[in-house]
């Protein structure tokens, strides 16, 4: 799911400081989507929801985001969040009355593809989402 260096030249990408709150990540993502001329709508709302969930999970369960990256390609955007925990996300079985536990399922449903890879010192979660132009 990660673009090669050659692909990087053909795609618009955002690399940089890792936002440590879901709100900041959404703000950065809105600016990125605006810069790549993505129209507002359901697709951009889905990207914002996935960004929010992945960053919130990294902060809540893994001590924070260590790297945040957005890459826009033809008809899609890839959201990548890295953190310092090697524990992969999992579906949480909770009753409807309990708060939380639904974010990972939502990320998987909104994304065309989701990859989780572990590495020494943490994990990388990448989600590919459709994006109309």
């Amino acid at each position: 799911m990660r673009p090669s260096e050659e692909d990087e030249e053909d795609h618009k990408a955002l690399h940089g400081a890792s936002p440590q709150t879901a709100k900041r990540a959404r703000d950065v993502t809105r600016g990125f989507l605006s810069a790549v001329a993505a129209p507002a709508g359901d697709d951009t709302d889905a990207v914002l929801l996935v960004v929010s969930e992945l960053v919130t999970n990294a902060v809540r369960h893994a001590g924070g985001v260590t790297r945040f990256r957005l890459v826009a390609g033809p008809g899609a955007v890839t959201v990548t969040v890295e953190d310092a925990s090697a524990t992969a996300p999992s579906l949480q079985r909770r009753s409807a009355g309990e708060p939380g536990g639904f974010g990972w399922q939502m990320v998987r449903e909104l994304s065309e593809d989701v990859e989780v890879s572990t590495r020494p010192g943490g994990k990388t979660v990448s989600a590919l989402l459709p994006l109309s132009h």
Side-chain angles (χ1 to χ4, degrees):
M1 183 172 311
R2 286 186 172 192
S4 68
E5 286 182 32
E6 184 176 291
D7 289 338
E8 288 284 335
E9 295 175 14
D10 297 330
H11 295 85
K12 297 176 184 173
L14 170 75
H15 310 266
S18 296
Q20 292 302 312
T21 67
K23 180 188 181 316
R24 177 69 182 127
R26 287 189 306 271
D27 290 346
V28 168
T29 303
R30 278 188 198 96
F32 174 79
L33 293 172
S34 176
V36 298
D42 291 344
D43 290 346
T44 57
D45 289 345
V47 172
L48 292 169
L49 280 168
V50 167
V51 163
S52 189
E53 285 300 325
L54 293 180
V55 169
T56 297
N57 287 346
V59 170
R60 185 174 291 160
H61 303 293
V65 176
T66 58
R67 185 171 184 222
F68 178 74
R69 182 173 172 201
L70 300 167
V71 177
V77 64
T78 301
V79 176
T80 302
V81 175
E82 294 183 11
D83 62 48
S85 171
T87 303
S90 62
L91 293 176
Q92 301 294 314
R93 304 288 179 211
R94 296 185 186 212
S95 70
E98 291 181 65
F102 303 99
W104 183 238
Q105 179 177 344
M106 183 177 62
V107 166
R108 291 176 44 193
E109 289 177 7
L110 292 172
S111 304
E112 286 183 1
D113 186 34
V114 178
E115 292 181 6
V116 178
S117 59
T118 57
R119 56 182 163 58
K123 71 176 165 300
T124 302
V125 180
S126 295
L128 177 71
L129 292 104
L131 193 60
S132 300
H133 286 277

